[in-house]
Amino acid sequence: MTISMYQALIPVSIRTLNNLANILEKGAAYAETKKIDPNVLINSRLSPDMFPLSKQVQIASDIVNRGAARLAGIEPPKFEDNETTFPQLIERIQKTISHLNTFKPEQIDGSEEREITLQMRDNTLSFQGMPFLLYFVLPNLYFHVTTAYDILRHCGVELGKGDFLGQP
């Protein structure tokens, strides 16, 4: 039995983003309960040279939005990176999930060998579809969601592995 490109990307990303939204809701509740300015958490980072929580969420959103679009051979959507509150970050995740729900399997399945070219700051990356999904999109999604989780956990939000993995 094989797994399709669609199955490997869309349901997995939706689940991961739903888990991220739940993590952010716990972060918002923690800030309210502890009387902490939510901006402290939203602007927290694990290291001075890392992005803050807000940017981690934005990148997680962008990587799957753009990844799905590129695999489907369509123009990726653009979201402004202007979220500054927990509700705005959660809304961005919901917009991302809504966008992912518009894809049909036939748009992404069969993209294993599609040429994907990304212009980065200093260089150009080229992939075929399958390596793009497995070695770029999904690892980036997990990295940024994990980092968002870690930032909130480091700030004292009571999170556990179950929050990251979600319910089966």
Side-chain angles (χ1 to χ4, degrees):
M1 181 178 202
T2 60
I3 185 169
S4 75
M5 295 284 284
Y6 176 88
Q7 290 170 327
L9 176 60
I10 301 301
V12 169
S13 297
I14 289 171
R15 179 183 169 125
T16 302
L17 291 172
N18 275 320
N19 296 345
L20 178 57
N22 291 333
I23 289 166
L24 293 176
E25 288 171 3
K26 284 191 170 191
Y30 177 82
E32 186 175 331
T33 300
K34 298 291 185 178
K35 307 287 189 246
I36 298 170
D37 180 352
N39 288 322
V40 171
L41 299 180
I42 290 167
N43 292 304
S44 289
R45 46 184 92 217
L46 293 176
S47 176
D49 65 345
M50 290 181 75
F51 289 126
L53 175 67
S54 58
K55 189 69 174 174
Q56 301 296 337
V57 173
Q58 292 162 350
I59 294 171
S61 164
D62 286 344
I63 198 72
V64 294
N65 262 334
R66 294 175 186 166
R70 287 183 176 110
L71 287 169
I74 64 173
E75 187 66 28
K78 285 195 172 241
F79 290 170
E80 290 188 42
D81 293 337
N82 58 3
E83 296 84 9
T84 59
T85 67
F86 280 110
Q88 290 171 345
L89 289 169
I90 292 166
E91 181 182 340
R92 181 188 180 115
I93 292 169
Q94 295 306 327
K95 282 184 1 185
T96 303
I97 291 169
S98 292
H99 178 251
L100 293 176
N101 277 320
T102 67
F103 287 96
K104 304 293 181 236
E106 55 272 13
Q107 289 177 277
I108 296 175
D109 287 344
S111 64
E112 293 85 352
E113 295 181 15
R114 174 172 277 136
E115 286 295 320
I116 309 286
T117 303
L118 304 175
Q119 183 60 48
M120 306 304 273
R121 290 183 200 144
D122 300 332
N123 63 341
T124 300
L125 300 177
S126 295
F127 299 91
Q128 285 191 322
M130 179 77 74
F132 174 67
L133 172 62
L134 297 178
Y135 307 130
F136 188 80
V137 175
L138 291 176
N140 269 288
L141 171 63
Y142 290 135
F143 175 85
H144 291 287
V145 172
T146 299
T147 304
Y149 168 99
D150 289 343
I151 289 168
L152 289 175
R153 185 68 188 98
H154 178 75
C155 289
V157 178
E158 293 184 22
L159 297 169
K161 189 175 183 179
D163 296 300
F164 180 85
L165 295 176
Q167 299 300 314

